[in-house]
Amino acid sequence: MDKFTVLEGIAAPLRTINVDTDAIIPKQYLKTIKRTGLGAGLFAEKRFRDDGTENPDFVLNKPAYRKATILVAGDNFGCGSSREHAPWALLDYGIRAVISTSFGDIFYNNCFKNGVLPIRVSPEELEKLFDDAERGANARLTIDLEKQEIRGPDGGSIRFDIDPHRKHCLLEGLDDIGQTLEKASKIAGFEGKMKELRPWA
């Protein structure tokens, strides 16, 4: 998992509330267990028309937001089913952070396990970030995880809270396997001791 330290990028505004994981990555893309290639299906039912052509009205299809790395989203983002493909699709598309007032619990947890930073802010702060994002590609946001700070294009900043353990894992690029490997020497020592104590096992 890539480390998350400081992210500076274009923020795409998605004012829709209650965006569920079925909308983030539709069911027809769930046949794979690979984490790559899912970016093509991100918001597919909104990004594309029935004939497969792009919907020019969808935010990620607008020229200013095609290279967005941050999503500023409406309340209760990622609600619905527990599919882990949702953060996989965001990450594969290039979205490393999602900012909202609230998230579906399972989606929120899955983001941390996959290198996507979900940030909770107040309704007033979200509205300010929507204003920044709606100014287009020239209004870039900077997210500093170490300082727990979002900096806007005009120099203003917003502080955010994050669980210290989750912060550590993102800063160091540690998923569940990586966290286990951090303790590899202790695990090996324990296994060696068990072999001495219980050679028959």
Side-chain angles (χ1 to χ4, degrees):
M1 190 169 86
D2 291 338
K3 294 181 179 181
F4 191 116
T5 54
V6 177
L7 173 66
E8 179 184 351
I10 298 165
L14 184 66
R15 284 189 175 268
T16 310
I17 64 170
N18 301 322
V19 174
D20 65 28
T21 51
D22 297 329
I24 296 171
I25 184 73
K27 61 185 180 303
Q28 61 267 32
Y29 294 92
L30 304 185
K31 297 174 184 176
T32 182
I33 56 170
K34 294 180 181 178
R35 300 184 185 200
T36 57
L38 288 169
L42 180 70
F43 298 116
E45 293 175 355
K46 298 290 186 183
R47 281 172 61 204
F48 304 106
R49 296 170 169 153
D50 291 341
D51 63 2
T53 59
E54 286 188 350
N55 171 10
D57 295 328
F58 187 69
V59 64
L60 294 179
N61 290 336
K62 295 180 179 180
Y65 301 111
R66 284 186 178 273
K67 295 184 179 179
T69 57
I70 301 165
L71 193 62
V72 181
D75 306 340
N76 198 28
F77 187 84
C79 57
S81 66
S82 60
R83 59 189 63 171
E84 196 167 8
H85 293 69
W88 292 356
L90 287 164
L91 189 61
D92 191 61
Y93 184 86
I95 303 291
R96 290 296 313 273
V98 182
I99 306 170
S100 183
T101 58
S102 56
F103 296 91
D105 286 341
I106 298 174
F107 171 82
Y108 184 78
N109 293 328
N110 282 339
C111 280
F112 286 106
K113 292 172 185 273
N114 291 284
V116 177
L117 173 60
I119 300 174
R120 292 184 179 122
V121 295
S122 71
E124 295 76 22
E125 291 167 335
L126 186 68
E127 194 57 40
K128 173 64 173 71
L129 292 167
F130 271 132
D131 289 343
D132 287 339
E134 285 167 354
R135 290 160 57 185
N138 293 325
R140 299 166 73 87
L141 298 181
T142 301
I143 299 172
D144 188 324
L145 179 55
E146 181 64 49
K147 294 181 178 179
Q148 296 175 216
E149 185 177 81
I150 305 166
R151 294 189 289 272
D154 299 325
S157 65
I158 293 170
R159 296 272 304 164
F160 62 89
D161 293 325
I162 184 172
D163 173 80
H165 175 69
R166 286 173 162 166
K167 177 180 177 179
H168 167 75
C169 290
L170 283 175
L171 286 170
E172 297 301 321
L174 299 172
D175 57 12
D176 287 347
I177 294 172
Q179 291 177 62
T180 302
L181 292 175
E182 272 196 317
K183 299 177 175 64
S185 60
K186 290 183 178 179
I187 293 169
F190 174 80
E191 288 177 341
K193 185 180 286 186
M194 287 299 101
K195 283 180 182 178
E196 292 176 8
L197 294 173
R198 300 174 181 160
W200 62 87

